[in-house]
Amino acid sequence: MSKNCGYVSSVRGSVVEVKFTTQLPPIHNILLADNERIVLEVQAHTTALSVKTIALTPTQGLARNMVVVDTGGPLCAPVGPDILSRMFDVFGATIDGRPAPTDLQWRSVHHAPPSLLQRLDKTEIFTTGIKIVDVLTPLERGGKAGLFGGAGVGKTVLLTEMIHNMLGHQQGVSIFCGIGERCREGEELYREMQQAGVLDSMVMLFGQMNAPPGNRFRIGHAALTMAEYFRDDQHKDVLLLIDNIFRFIQAGAEVSGLMGQMPSRMGYQPTMGTELATLEERIASTTNGAITSIQAVYVPADDFTDPSAVHTFAHLSASLVLSRKRASEGLYPAIDPLQSSSKMATPGIVGQRHYNIAQNVRQVLAQYDELKDIIAMLGLEQLSVKDRDTVNRARRLERFFTQPFFTTEQFSDIAGTQVSLEDALEGCERILNGEFNEYPESALYMIGSVNEVKPLTKRSDGKQSHEA
């Protein structure tokens, strides 16, 4: 059967117009040019004989009148047990320097989300082993959680820690999808996962920062296709980590601009809501298994009213907001307990005791936040005894919510810890009851469970001191 061929009629950066003489390829079909070196995806039918395509590879060397071949199908991603422990690009080619896996199936990256009847109707909590997350913003199994923060506040470190913790106590699969991030981060993550011994149950995909916008726009769909294979065919739970979902929106804006579409509010593409929903709605819990997603969201200029942040919020069951102020104070993970929220934090889901502790913690921290201005102007001594007690407890809670990570051991020289939900709740309860008011704040900094606090000893002058 003869292939459907056309020729390049114009090249404008990543947008390539192709003319066909007989039959136009459908939208999303993949076309190959320059001896299959350049990959194009059909985006629009412009006339009866021509299509507009977006390049998924650099277009250097492409010229008018070059022959273009229609592959007859859309972009496909490899699936199968052999993809575990490997690193792929958007085309399903391995980029880890090892021989390509052989026993693979190829599936289209364009899928419909699971139907309402296939979705699971019961809600379950997804424990992470990170105190502040499990107590204040519990994550949903099969749900989507967003990590919001500006540049350099610890989004990637938190994602890496979650990979480490999940694979440690859940027999699932983890898929890391890097959209428009630095290649250095990908290489470091690969080595860290290898050293942690969790690479065997991981797949990594990268559409790097220097890749064309079409490439970065499709890498998320390729990762979801792999996740759906493990959920639907292998009946496994999947943890899908996306770093960074803002880069997906940004790539869509670049594609939209290159295609000549009229920009919407603040320069974003008019189809942003639809494009994001097409990706997000495929992440769901079904009767076969669950895809739980944690997505880093870069917030431009820390402005949460930015359309990219607003549209992303709509899809999430939990929002972890990272605070630059907390990071500057050395309170890691730098999650803001008052701005972060979770739809799971209700008595019907987490239980009455957990709900009450979380509410009390938030109340104490909110009161401390209100008192900060008075403390800054007049000093701690001017507060009432009750307010001083609130400040004491709040500052100890803040320090208790810090936690040494396994992924930062090499920088901090502090062994990483994973804390069970029961231990985290017990610690909060005891601090709220004033049990640690006599202890210095530093005693609760960078520990795991509250039982790691060193006991108080009597000094020779009869006063209490904190054991070194």
Side-chain angles (χ1 to χ4, degrees), residues 84-85 160 163-168 172 174 189 192-204:
L84 287 171
S85 82
T160 314
I163 294 174
H164 184 280
N165 290 1
M166 293 314 140
L167 300 179
S174 191
L189 183 68
E192 281 167 13
M193 295 300 107
Q194 212 166 17
Q195 286 163 8
V198 295
L199 196 62
D200 289 345
S201 48
M202 266 197 85
V203 186
M204 294 189 199

Side-chain angles (χ1 to χ4, degrees), residues 2-11 16-21 30-40 53 61-71:
S2 62
K3 289 185 176 174
N4 184 22
C5 294
Y7 63 92
V8 176
S9 61
S10 75
V11 183
V16 180
E17 209 157 318
V18 182
K19 281 202 169 163
F20 287 85
T21 50
I30 292 294
L31 315 179
L32 301 173
D34 197 12
N35 295 324
E36 302 189 1
R37 186 180 67 83
I38 293 169
V39 183
L40 311 169
T53 68
L62 195 64
R64 290 173 72 175
N65 296 323
M66 272 188 176
V67 174
V68 176
V69 180
D70 176 15
T71 60

Side-chain angles (χ1 to χ4, degrees), residues 150-225:
V153 290
K155 293 186 299 296
T156 306
V157 171
L158 197 53
L159 281 187
T160 314
E161 183 69 8
M162 285 184 179
I163 294 174
H164 184 280
N165 290 1
M166 293 314 140
L167 300 179
H169 67 80
Q170 298 208 5
Q171 301 308 306
V173 173
S174 191
I175 295 177
F176 184 91
C177 176
I179 306 178
E181 291 298 302
R182 304 164 189 81
C183 55
R184 168 183 61 76
E185 290 177 347
E187 189 269 336
E188 283 173 3
L189 183 68
Y190 184 79
R191 266 190 296 109
E192 281 167 13
M193 295 300 107
Q194 212 166 17
Q195 286 163 8
V198 295
L199 196 62
D200 289 345
S201 48
M202 266 197 85
V203 186
M204 294 189 199
L205 293 99
F206 288 98
Q208 296 299 342
M209 209 174 239
N210 63 335
N215 186 314
R216 286 179 272 125
F217 188 60
R218 286 287 173 236
I219 192 73
H221 297 98
L224 260 170
T225 305

Side-chain angles (χ1 to χ4, degrees), residues 286-327:
T286 70
T287 47
N288 296 322
I291 300 175
T292 303
S293 175
I294 298 168
Q295 306 167 8
V297 186
Y298 167 69
V299 181
D302 291 349
D303 175 18
F304 285 90
T305 62
D306 188 271
S308 63
V310 171
H311 276 268
T312 308
F313 261 120
H315 293 279
L316 305 174
S317 55
S319 304
L320 305 175
V321 179
L322 293 164
S323 151
R324 197 173 300 282
K325 188 171 180 295
R326 288 177 70 84

Side-chain angles (χ1 to χ4, degrees), residues 405-449:
F405 282 177
F406 291 98
T407 48
T408 56
E409 278 179 15
Q410 55 188 344
F411 309 113
S412 63
D413 283 335
I414 307 171
T417 58
Q418 208 171 326
V419 184
S420 71
L421 176 59
E422 187 47 50
D423 283 350
L425 289 173
E426 186 200 340
C428 292
E429 213 167 25
R430 288 171 66 183
I431 293 166
L432 287 167
N433 291 338
E435 204 174 306
F436 294 93
N437 282 6
E438 299 301 316
Y439 286 70
E441 292 165 12
S442 57
L444 293 150
Y445 182 69
M446 283 295 167
I447 59 168
S449 95

Side-chain angles (χ1 to χ4, degrees), residues 330-352:
L331 300 173
Y332 290 105
I335 295 169
D336 188 319
L338 300 176
Q339 280 199 322
S340 304
S341 63
S342 170
K343 292 174 186 170
M344 300 297 103
T346 61
I349 296 171
V350 296
Q352 194 64 49

